[in-house]
């Protein structure tokens, strides 16, 4: 439950703060349109968070995944959090999307959300690239930024990195993080997929 709260409400609040801070900066430069855009963005994220909080009382599955597939929700999340900021974000879908267990979809969404908010808060990147790749036997999520980077240390990993690793492990998958000071960060999560009926016949 603590991990879910961290990955939903806490991340939503972070998004609101980022937009409010950007609005303050735009206001100091008298850029009215940018101010309005950031305030609208903060409002949208806040409303999403409120709906999520209400829904969490009934179930922990994200509301967005009830209405759209994982790829659509991930892309929408990325564009919403980086819209109007200095971060240029891209989302790439590779392969043919397949139906996933609800828990796996939720875990992938939360991992993407955590990686993005961490990058914006701590790495100050100008680029953030996400690739969701459906292979014949595995699903891979890769999140890469060109921010300041850091020296990964398993003994001092924060709750966010620990939560991402635990989510990957709960799906029987692998979690990896590559980073170095000044060289950005790449986070990858890979989980096995059941062999399709077509492949079983071969």
């Amino acid at each position: 439950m603590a991990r879910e709260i961290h990955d939903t409400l806490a991340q939503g609040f972070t998004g609101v703060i980022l937009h409010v801070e950007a609005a303050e900066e735009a206001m100091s430069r008298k850029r009215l349109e940018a101010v309005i855009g950031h305030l609208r963005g903060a409002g949208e994220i806040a409303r999403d968070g409120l709906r999520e909080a209400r829904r969490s009382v009934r179930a922990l599955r994200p509301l967005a995944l009830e209405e759209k597939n994982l790829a659509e929700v991930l892309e929408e999340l990325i564009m919403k959090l980086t819209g109007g900021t200095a971060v240029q974000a891209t989302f790439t879908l590779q392969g043919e999307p397949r139906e996933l267990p609800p828990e796996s979809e939720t875990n992938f969404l939360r991992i993407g959300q955590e990686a993005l908010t961490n990058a914006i808060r701590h790495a100050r990147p100008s680029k953030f690239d996400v690739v969701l790749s459906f292979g014949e036997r595995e699903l891979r999520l890769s999140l890469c930024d060109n921010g300041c980077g850091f020296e990964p240390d398993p003994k001092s990993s924060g709750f966010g990195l620990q939560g991402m690793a635990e989510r990957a492990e709960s799906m029987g998958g692998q979690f990896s993080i590559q980073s170095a000071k000044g060289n950005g960060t790449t986070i990858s999560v890979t989980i096995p997929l059941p062999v399709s009926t077509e492949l079983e016949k071969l």
Side-chain angles (χ1 to χ4, degrees), residues 150 152 161 164 175-179 185-188:
F150 66 102
L161 290 177
M164 285 190 280
F175 172 84
S176 68
I177 180 167
Q178 297 178 332
S179 185
T185 301
T186 298
I187 292 174
S188 297

Side-chain angles (χ1 to χ4, degrees), residues 7-200:
D7 289 349
T8 55
L9 299 181
Q11 300 297 358
F13 288 140
T14 298
V16 171
I17 291 171
L18 290 170
H19 274 291
V20 170
E21 289 178 345
E24 290 176 345
E25 181 179 353
M27 188 178 297
S28 68
R29 299 181 180 181
K30 298 182 179 180
R31 298 173 55 198
L32 182 58
E33 289 187 7
V35 172
I36 294 173
H38 284 300
L39 291 179
R40 286 176 177 168
E44 289 179 5
I45 295 173
R47 283 188 289 273
D48 287 345
L50 180 57
R51 287 194 295 269
E52 194 68 57
R54 288 170 174 167
R55 180 172 175 77
S56 293
V57 175
R58 303 187 299 273
L60 291 178
R61 181 168 167 79
L63 176 61
L65 287 173
E66 295 286 353
E67 303 171 344
K68 301 176 181 178
N69 63 42
L70 176 61
E72 292 172 329
V73 175
L74 269 175
E75 183 173 17
E76 184 176 279
L77 169 70
I78 294 164
M79 298 311 166
K80 183 178 291 184
L81 285 179
T82 60
T85 71
V87 181
Q88 293 183 345
T90 64
F91 175 82
T92 303
L93 174 63
Q94 297 178 343
E96 187 67 28
R98 295 168 60 180
E99 185 175 352
L100 301 172
E103 183 178 358
S104 295
E105 287 190 329
T106 298
N107 283 331
F108 267 94
L109 175 60
R110 297 309 181 209
I111 289 171
Q113 188 174 28
E114 174 69 18
L116 176 56
T117 52
N118 275 353
I120 295 175
R121 289 174 60 189
H122 305 299
R124 301 296 180 184
S126 61
K127 291 183 62 180
F128 188 86
D129 300 315
V130 178
V131 178
L132 182 64
S133 178
F134 284 85
E136 294 179 345
R137 298 178 182 272
E138 65 179 25
L139 172 62
R140 180 182 179 87
L141 177 65
S142 177
L143 309 109
C144 180
D145 72 69
N146 67 344
C148 61
F150 66 102
E151 297 294 338
D153 183 357
K155 296 181 180 180
S156 61
S157 295
F159 190 81
L161 290 177
Q162 178 184 339
M164 285 190 280
E166 289 176 352
R167 287 183 183 277
E169 183 179 349
S170 72
M171 296 183 287
Q174 297 181 333
F175 172 84
S176 68
I177 180 167
Q178 297 178 332
S179 185
K181 290 185 177 180
N183 291 322
T185 301
T186 298
I187 292 174
S188 297
V189 179
T190 304
I191 66 169
L193 291 175
V195 179
S196 66
T197 304
E198 289 74 12
L199 288 175
E200 290 176 342

